[in-house]
Amino acid sequence: MSNEPTTSPTDAQARPNVARMYDYYLGGCHNFAADREAAERVLQIFPDTGVAAQTNRAFLRRAVRYAAEQGVRQFLDVGAGLPTQGTVHEVVRAVAPESRVVYVDSDEVAVAYARRLLPGDDRTAAIRGDLRRPGEILADPEVGRLIDLREPVAVLLVAVLHFVPDADDPYAAVARLRDATVPGSMLVLSHLTLDGVPPVAAAQGQAVYQRSSAPLTPRTYAETERFLAGYELVPPGLVQLAQWRPDGEPQAGVSHGYGGVGVRR
């Protein structure tokens, strides 16, 4: 069976796409040849990238489960990427079946696949939107239908902010989303870092992504922590992803990023 997606826009095949590269790292089949070739180049530089991607997904599952257990029933997943095992709506509805989820991504293929795989109910939606324009996301009719900003909402920014360069002011975008939510809302955040990575390998990895749909902007611990301004960090704070509230789920301990959950003050 071919790994090519059944929907294959011509333009989408020519340039590596970061969502589909991530899907390839996770062992998915929603990727094109250009995505696989770029991902393999990254794997040659960082052979543990696939395991690190699994670690990131495991962090997402733990974090959204935690939010649901704390009573949050609305989830806005910005930069959701392609659907894969352990989706947000599956995880949170195991805790609270009435939970509502909106998936947001700037890639039309990712949104199309998400819509095809969503459950046939009125509590889940997928929309096209860009983190760099948070006002448009908040104004989307589907967000308005499913997310009541008068009640706590968990905003998920998992493995997306490192695709927003400083020139686009990602801190302002996160602050806009924060300010739109009420106290008790949450921010679930994971972010790529190259802290401790040899400079040559770091430059090689960034060079691969420079030719993709979204060049990388890795950030330091301090730069990542800034995104959580206005939130009270849930223990253990901002840590390596595998260290955030491990719950017995298999962990390889490989992480190229920081993760944390904050509660809106």
Side-chain angles (χ1 to χ4, degrees):
M1 179 180 295
S2 170
N3 278 342
E4 300 293 344
T6 54
T7 301
S8 51
T10 302
D11 292 345
Q13 298 183 52
R15 188 180 191 188
N17 176 278
V18 295
R20 297 193 297 267
M21 289 172 66
Y22 187 66
D23 175 72
Y24 181 77
Y25 298 142
L26 291 169
C29 61
H30 303 305
N31 43 74
F32 297 118
D35 309 313
R36 296 190 287 274
E37 291 168 6
E40 284 294 337
R41 288 198 294 274
V42 173
L43 289 166
Q44 289 173 5
I45 303 164
F46 299 107
D48 56 6
T49 297
V51 178
Q54 295 285 356
T55 301
N56 184 72
R57 288 298 301 183
F59 161 77
L60 171 63
R61 290 192 291 269
R62 295 195 305 277
V64 298
R65 186 182 305 118
Y66 171 83
E69 289 171 348
Q70 299 306 304
V72 176
R73 297 294 181 263
Q74 307 181 105
F75 297 81
L76 183 63
D77 188 356
V78 182
L82 289 159
T84 187
Q85 292 182 341
T87 58
V88 171
H89 68 271
E90 292 171 336
V91 174
V92 299
R93 287 183 183 169
V95 177
E98 71 275 21
S99 297
R100 303 185 299 280
V101 180
V102 178
Y103 296 103
V104 184
D105 203 274
S106 61
D107 180 68
E108 61 182 345
V109 176
V111 174
Y113 270 96
R115 287 172 176 165
R116 287 173 52 189
L117 297 175
L118 290 180
D121 60 40
D122 61 355
R123 290 173 288 118
T124 314
I127 68 168
R128 194 172 182 190
D130 195 317
L131 174 58
R132 294 170 295 183
R133 296 187 292 276
E136 293 180 10
I137 294 173
L138 294 169
D140 187 278
E142 285 292 85
V143 173
R145 181 177 70 85
L146 288 173
I147 304 295
D148 183 352
L149 293 174
R150 299 168 298 180
E151 299 292 333
V153 55
V155 175
L156 316 180
L157 300 177
V158 176
V160 62
L161 281 163
H162 47 246
F163 295 118
V164 183
D166 290 339
D168 288 333
D169 200 354
Y171 295 102
V174 175
R176 175 72 177 85
L177 292 171
R178 179 199 65 211
D179 293 346
T181 64
V182 298
S185 296
M186 294 186 182
L187 173 64
V188 175
L189 169 75
S190 74
H191 198 297
L192 177 72
T193 186
L194 292 177
D195 287 354
V197 175
V200 172
Q204 290 173 336
Q206 286 186 270
V208 175
Y209 277 91
Q210 192 66 33
R211 298 185 290 272
S212 75
S213 60
L216 283 175
T217 304
R219 293 186 171 92
T220 65
Y221 184 93
E223 290 168 335
T224 302
E225 191 176 37
R226 279 184 58 199
F227 288 114
L228 288 150
Y231 292 91
E232 181 178 349
L233 280 168
V234 172
L238 183 68
V239 294
Q240 291 283 325
L241 293 170
Q243 298 171 1
W244 195 87
R245 305 177 77 91
D247 61 359
E249 189 174 10
Q251 293 291 327
V254 174
S255 173
H256 297 311
Y258 298 117
V261 175
V263 180
R264 174 89 153 86
R265 293 196 283 253

